[in-house]
Amino acid sequence: MLQKRFIFLIVVVLILAAATVLFIRHIQPSEDLDLNYQEISVGSKIADIVKNRKLEVQITEQDLNNLVKKQLSAHPDLPNGIRIEGAKLTLQGSNLVADVNVKWQDKLPVGAQLLFTLAWDPPNVIIQHQSTMVKGIQVPKEWLQFAPIELSIEDHLPLLIGVKDVKFEEKAVLIQLKALR
């Protein structure tokens, strides 16, 4: 009788260990991502304004990737022992999908996908976290929720230029500028 219980206990432990290993392998990142970025050339953006003779600047998906990676590399630590190791952003109109590689407690690598919405609320662009998924599994909002981020575009512009409107296109953000008096 005692021998049957011991064998049953060993089988249960082996099944739990196998399930744990499979789960850990399943949630690992599927692609290598990093936080390397290139500085955005403000001079080329100003040259585009002069060349096109329009007071508008286009921020491409690649520009957005570089801006966000710069911010993330400066502040990679998140609450609950989560550290961002790499990211790749995809702009889909007013939605921003962030594929991220994170490490939990500096031990467990996890691949996650975060969905954000973008909105223009003058004078700021509001970035609102909507959801987080790990390998197709929805993570409860209580586990990981970001406060809305407000970006003031006018803080990065010369004094005599303001923002007239911001439009979210499929793969770019179009910032229409205006001259201030």
Side-chain angles (χ1 to χ4, degrees):
M1 184 69 145
L2 188 60
Q3 190 178 22
K4 286 183 181 181
R5 286 185 184 175
F6 182 69
I7 291 173
F8 176 76
L9 183 62
I10 289 176
V11 169
V12 169
V13 168
L14 288 175
I15 290 172
L16 288 174
T20 302
V21 168
L22 288 174
F23 176 74
I24 289 171
R25 290 188 70 187
H26 178 71
I27 64 171
Q28 288 183 338
S30 55
E31 66 179 303
D32 289 331
L33 300 174
D34 58 37
L35 293 178
N36 297 333
Y37 63 91
Q38 295 177 347
E39 289 290 338
I40 295 176
S41 170
V42 175
S44 69
K45 297 294 180 189
I46 293 172
D48 288 343
I49 292 172
V50 172
K51 184 175 85 176
N52 295 332
R53 294 188 181 133
K54 292 182 181 177
L55 281 176
E56 60 186 29
V57 175
Q58 186 177 44
I59 306 296
T60 65
E61 188 175 72
Q62 186 61 43
D63 293 337
L64 201 56
N65 259 299
N66 287 323
L67 287 169
V68 170
K69 283 184 176 186
K70 181 177 181 177
Q71 288 294 101
L72 290 176
S73 64
H75 308 287
D77 294 318
L78 299 175
N80 302 325
I82 297 172
R83 180 177 181 82
I84 296 181
E85 302 278 313
K88 177 180 77 175
L89 280 74
T90 306
L91 188 60
Q92 300 169 345
S94 63
N95 290 323
L96 183 65
V97 177
D99 292 306
V100 295
N101 290 353
V102 299
K103 248 189 193 163
W104 181 65
Q105 301 295 333
D106 286 330
K107 294 177 184 146
L108 182 62
V110 178
Q113 189 174 64
L114 294 91
L115 175 65
F116 297 91
T117 55
L118 305 172
W120 170 239
D121 184 18
N124 299 320
V125 172
I126 309 297
I127 303 171
Q128 178 75 44
H129 178 235
Q130 296 299 316
S131 64
T132 303
M133 296 183 77
V134 174
K135 299 293 182 167
I137 300 168
Q138 187 79 30
V139 175
K141 285 191 175 191
E142 300 83 46
W143 291 8
L144 184 64
Q145 182 65 36
F146 299 101
I149 301 167
E150 294 183 3
L151 295 177
S152 176
I153 298 171
E154 290 182 348
D155 290 347
H156 303 285
L157 297 174
L159 290 176
L160 298 176
I161 296 179
V163 177
K164 180 178 178 182
D165 195 16
V166 175
K167 294 183 180 177
F168 302 102
E169 298 178 343
E170 191 59 30
K171 294 292 179 188
V173 177
L174 187 63
I175 302 170
Q176 295 174 340
L177 305 171
K178 64 182 176 183
L180 299 176
R181 293 183 176 222

